[in-house]
Amino acid sequence: MGRVEKITSYPNADATGTGHCQHGRRISVSTLSATGLADNLSGLWTVLAWLPFGLACPALVVAEMPFGFCGRRLRQACFGPNEAVLPSYSPFAWGGSTASYDCVAAFCRRPGLGVESFPVKTLLNKLKSIFDLEGSGRLILYSALVGVVAGLGAAVFYVGLNWVRDFALGDLMGYHPPAAKSEPSAFPIQSPTHWWAVLLVPTIGGLMCGWLVYTFAPEAEGHGTDGMIRAFHRAKGVIRARVPFIKTIASALTIGTGGSAGREGPIAQIGAGFGSFLAGRLKLSDWERRMLVLAGAAGGVGAIFQAPLGGALFAVEVLYASTAIEFAAIIPCVVSSVIAYSVFNVIFGVDVPFAAPKDIAFHGLGELPLYIVFAVVCAVAGFAYVWTFYNVRNRVFRKLPIPRVFKPAIGGLLVGVIALWLPQVMAGGYGWIQEALDGNLARLPLHLMAILVVAKILATSFTISSGGSGGVFAPSLFIGAMLGGAFGQLCHTWFPDLVSQSQAQAFVLVGMGGFFAGVAKVPLTALIMVSEMSGSYNLLVPLMVVSMINVAILSQRWTLYEEQVSSLIDSPAHLGDFVVDVLAGIQVREVFQPSRPLTVVPEEMPLPEVLRVVAQSADAYFPVVDRNHELVGIFSLHDIRSALIGNGGGNLILASDLASSPVSTLTPDDNLHTALRLFTQKRIAEAPVVNPENPRRVIGMIRRDEVIAAYDQQMQAHGARRKV
């Protein structure tokens, strides 16, 4: 239960904790019910944001705290059902969509309450002008909430996947692969002991996955990253609520039973799905929903791969097939990824997936030619991977004359056939990547690593292209690691004086990042994520060289993620961005009408007089001015309606109590893009235009429809010029 501070310390407070103002109206003090705080998640945002102020001065919070989420319930809890309380709502207020209760602030200005000297509204207005809470604060909080759920979702998926894998591969097949740093094993390395299980288990896993996906959520098929990208570009960030749950189970079945797939796609779609769900429940805009979708994907990837920065970069970089990045989503993605990473580590502890040898490093200019050649090798292998992946889907599985439900089972059977001779291709293969990093040539000789590159490409294509559920990041790491290991050992054999054994092992790590960068078009993500996952930044330079050459020069014409678009201008999410160029060339002075009558309200005007002025005006927004006719606030018709709900306050309520401040204004020299952005961020339809030399002197108002009309006229004129 929250508590409203009693006013017993003030001269006009009686022994019951009930204060009286100079007008004789009673201010009742009661206990604030906490049930209202659960009415909407925006209440959580309010409580967290105002908690420091509440600890310092509870009366200040009652005076100024936005409580749009519980409305009359809070008013009655704080002041009683029959008291004069002014609920003031305005889009100009902090948060853009919350209601503030200014009555106590009004009372505090009255003589006898002992707080006249405390500049309540001045302090709050100053804080609002310094910190951009309405522009980004709400989204950051929601991103943190998405990060918590993404971290928990990653933990559930991790546990479920490990359980299925231990049962299917360990108990049924008798297969125990090498351990990775983050995945220790209690069993010695052992090849499968039951050949029939190698064929049967992936087949059953594919059959269960196919039935689950195509019965309940067909969009959960394949590698989920494309589903997340599609939702961002073409579906306004909307992902059905059931998709994350179906994706979690289907991916655990596919990967756990030996399917050649990874975790990044499922966890990206799981986190993105919750971001979409939260945005829908809170009725956020399409753009905010898209931001939370990316935040969810970043959180999931950052948590399960122990790479918070890499996860954030992945979500904003994977959307585009070029070097474009969704810069607007970087902060929400970083917040979500850090929170999810922290939640995951609280449950499982901090440990990187791979242990890179301490002696691997970049030794200077002499090694660069070999890395440049290796970039070409990665590009060739990347093209073969993408070509095989989509041709297996389009020319094999899509043409099979059988129901879709059974196709993942056929894919699983084909993986089992490969695994009879090469069990390394099953599941993610993290343990075998670790063996390559360690340079264990006894288990991974040069020729075997080269064969595994081809086998893993085929196994991954059979698993995912058939409709199985899983990601392509882990298989890409495996292919890149084996490719790098084979290339490094070949260089060590041919040039032993130039390439030592430790330098040969360095190609494993560089191959992981360079190969994935080329096939996924994510150079920054690849080099950062591989460094985070291995706990080593010694090879950043060769990672940069191979990744950038591969992406910028050699692999521009193909990508593993077919839902990627080339650039921001090709994304439906940015369809209206070209409007900026038109509006930026038009100034406010060309649109607003200074001759139009302007209704301003003196700040000391009582409520009855305000109602009379408003009734005689055709305006919707009313600037409030002081005795020097300088702007001190603004209120809207919505504020008037809210004031009437409070059972009336008579002359006690002044225009200054109705007004919200500080006021966002425009000058005649501002362009219409600035004006439209203000309308959008504040969710308002009108804004004051002020004198540039005196920002508190109102000279007129500009309306949203005037901005839209100006844009329409400009486009019509442009069309007429093109016809001529």
Side-chain angles (χ1 to χ4, degrees):
M1 300 290 284
R3 180 180 173 280
V4 179
E5 184 185 44
K6 290 187 177 182
I7 319 180
T8 52
S9 60
Y10 302 140
N12 288 345
D14 57 29
T16 65
T18 300
H20 298 270
C21 70
Q22 65 175 355
H23 294 275
R25 298 302 299 270
R26 182 170 62 87
I27 309 175
S28 60
V29 179
S30 60
T31 303
L32 172 59
S33 173
T35 59
L37 300 180
D39 287 354
N40 190 297
L41 282 173
S42 62
L44 176 62
W45 161 232
T46 304
V47 171
L48 292 176
W50 284 86
L51 182 59
F53 299 102
L55 295 176
C57 180
L60 171 62
V61 175
V62 175
E64 296 292 339
M65 186 176 183
F67 276 115
F69 57 89
C70 55
R72 179 171 290 182
R73 181 186 304 180
L74 173 66
R75 181 171 65 254
Q76 294 177 351
C78 291
F79 298 103
N82 299 317
E83 306 310 319
V85 178
L86 174 63
S88 173
Y89 173 96
S90 175
F92 289 90
W94 174 88
S97 60
T98 56
S100 60
Y101 285 76
D102 292 336
C103 182
V104 175
F107 282 127
C108 289
R109 291 195 299 271
R110 304 296 190 258
L113 288 183
V115 293
E116 301 89 353
S117 60
F118 191 80
V120 175
K121 298 194 74 172
T122 302
L123 173 62
L124 292 174
N125 291 340
K126 186 65 175 177
L127 291 174
K128 295 174 191 176
S129 65
I130 295 174
F131 301 106
D132 181 24
L133 295 177
E134 61 188 333
S136 59
R138 181 178 63 175
L139 189 60
I140 289 176
L141 178 81
Y142 294 155
S143 299
L145 181 58
V146 169
V148 172
V149 177
L152 294 174
V156 171
F157 179 64
Y158 182 78
V159 170
L161 173 59
N162 286 346
W163 184 87
V164 175
R165 184 191 61 193
D166 292 343
F167 172 72
L169 301 188
D171 297 341
L172 297 181
M173 290 188 192
Y175 174 50
H176 300 289
K181 190 172 189 297
S182 62
E183 297 178 353
S185 176
F187 301 93
I189 300 174
Q190 178 177 293
S191 296
T193 56
H194 307 294
W195 66 267
W196 55 268
V198 176
L199 296 175
L200 185 62
V201 169
T203 304
I204 294 176
L207 183 63
M208 296 172 66
C209 171
W211 174 82
L212 187 67
V213 167
Y214 292 116
T215 301
F216 299 102
E219 63 267 45
E221 70 168 328
H223 55 101
T225 304
D226 255 345
M228 182 272 292
I229 298 172
R230 185 188 312 113
F232 178 87
H233 288 312
R234 310 185 189 283
K236 300 180 180 179
V238 176
I239 298 175
R240 286 202 297 169
R242 68 175 65 179
V243 170
F245 301 100
I246 301 300
K247 193 70 176 178
T248 300
I249 301 172
S251 299
L253 290 172
T254 299
I255 304 169
T257 56
S260 179
R263 307 167 184 167
E264 125 276 343
I267 196 59
Q269 201 165 26
I270 291 167
F274 177 74
S276 177
F277 170 79
L278 179 64
R281 296 292 295 176
L282 296 177
K283 295 180 173 56
L284 302 182
S285 66
D286 293 344
W287 183 248
E288 289 172 315
R289 185 190 298 111
R290 285 183 166 107
M291 294 298 100
L292 292 187
V293 163
L294 297 184
V301 172
I304 207 161
F305 290 112
Q306 295 292 280
L309 180 55
L313 288 175
F314 174 80
V316 300
E317 195 177 21
V318 77
L319 301 172
Y320 302 100
S322 65
T323 55
I325 291 178
E326 194 63 53
F327 285 102
I330 288 180
I331 292 179
C333 287
V334 168
V335 170
S336 175
S337 185
V338 169
I339 296 295
Y341 169 81
S342 302
V343 170
F344 191 86
N345 284 337
V346 165
I347 300 172
F348 298 106
V350 180
D351 201 1
V352 294
F354 307 112
K358 296 182 179 179
D359 57 344
I360 61 171
F362 176 64
H363 296 95
L365 187 62
E367 295 182 352
L368 280 182
L370 290 177
Y371 284 114
I372 293 175
V373 173
F374 184 54
V376 177
V377 174
C378 286
V380 173
F383 172 77
Y385 180 30
V386 175
W387 184 90
T388 303
F389 187 90
Y390 285 111
N391 275 278
V392 167
R393 184 194 66 179
N394 298 334
R395 298 187 179 185
V396 178
F397 285 104
R398 283 189 175 174
K399 292 185 177 181
L400 285 178
I402 60 174
R404 292 189 301 174
V405 172
F406 300 109
K407 292 181 180 181
I410 295 177
L413 177 61
L414 293 174
V415 171
V417 171
I418 296 175
L420 286 175
W421 290 273
L422 297 170
Q424 297 92 337
V425 302
M426 288 192 292
Y430 277 18
W432 294 107
I433 294 175
Q434 185 63 59
E435 292 292 313
L437 277 171
D438 294 337
N440 194 334
L441 297 179
R443 294 196 180 101
L444 287 174
L446 190 156
H447 71 278
L448 179 58
M449 287 190 285
I451 293 173
L452 286 175
V453 170
V454 178
K456 191 67 172 179
I457 290 175
L458 291 174
T460 305
S461 300
F462 293 151
T463 300
I464 301 176
S465 297
S466 64
S469 183
V472 294
F473 177 63
S476 298
L477 291 183
F478 184 97
I479 296 168
M482 297 303 144
L483 190 66
F487 183 84
Q489 292 302 326
L490 191 63
C491 291
H492 176 61
T493 302
W494 288 353
F495 314 107
D497 296 332
L498 181 62
V499 181
S500 65
Q501 180 59 40
S502 64
Q503 289 172 294
Q505 293 168 232
F507 282 95
V508 175
L509 201 62
V510 175
M512 292 164 64
F515 182 80
F516 182 65
V519 298
K521 303 299 174 288
V522 287
L524 295 178
T525 297
L527 65 93
I528 294 298
M529 185 170 284
V530 167
S531 298
E532 286 184 305
M533 292 178 68
S534 63
S536 173
Y537 294 84
N538 295 337
L539 296 174
L540 270 180
V541 172
L543 273 168
M544 292 168 63
V545 170
V546 175
S547 298
M548 298 305 171
I549 291 177
N550 196 359
V551 172
I553 301 175
L554 302 175
S555 61
Q556 280 290 311
R557 296 188 177 182
W558 66 84
T559 176
L560 199 55
Y561 297 120
E562 61 181 352
E563 292 295 336
Q564 288 177 332
V565 298
S566 296
S567 62
L568 275 72
I569 197 171
D570 298 305
S571 170
H574 295 276
L575 191 60
D577 287 0
F578 71 94
V579 174
V580 171
D581 296 332
V582 175
L583 296 180
I586 308 174
Q587 290 184 318
V588 170
R589 68 171 71 253
E590 302 175 43
V591 175
F592 98 102
Q593 304 173 16
S595 59
R596 187 172 61 207
L598 175 65
T599 304
V600 296
V601 179
E603 63 176 342
E604 296 182 353
M605 180 178 289
L607 179 60
E609 186 67 16
V610 170
L611 295 176
R612 186 188 64 81
V613 171
V614 169
Q616 296 176 353
S617 174
D619 296 335
Y621 292 84
F622 302 89
V624 177
V625 298
D626 59 16
R627 294 180 180 179
N628 297 322
H629 297 283
E630 292 187 337
L631 184 67
V632 296
I634 193 168
F635 64 86
S636 67
L637 289 177
H638 195 292
D639 301 322
I640 296 295
R641 288 193 292 268
S642 299
L644 296 177
I645 296 175
N647 298 324
N651 292 328
L652 176 65
I653 299 174
L654 305 181
S656 58
D657 299 322
L658 285 168
S660 298
S661 58
V663 184
S664 297
T665 60
L666 298 165
T667 69
D669 298 326
D670 288 327
N671 59 52
L672 294 192
H673 172 235
T674 301
L676 186 60
R677 184 172 56 187
L678 174 64
F679 292 142
T680 303
Q681 288 181 346
K682 303 291 184 178
R683 300 180 184 178
I684 56 178
E686 251 182 285
V689 181
V690 297
N691 190 326
E693 299 179 358
N694 184 1
R696 295 184 60 188
R697 179 76 64 176
V698 183
I699 59 177
M701 300 286 289
I702 185 171
R703 299 173 179 171
R704 177 193 287 265
D705 56 1
E706 293 174 332
V707 173
I708 301 302
Y711 168 75
D712 185 58
Q713 292 175 4
Q714 191 77 1
M715 293 304 295
Q716 289 181 3
H718 177 70
R721 286 194 298 269
R722 290 187 62 182
K723 291 180 180 180
V724 174

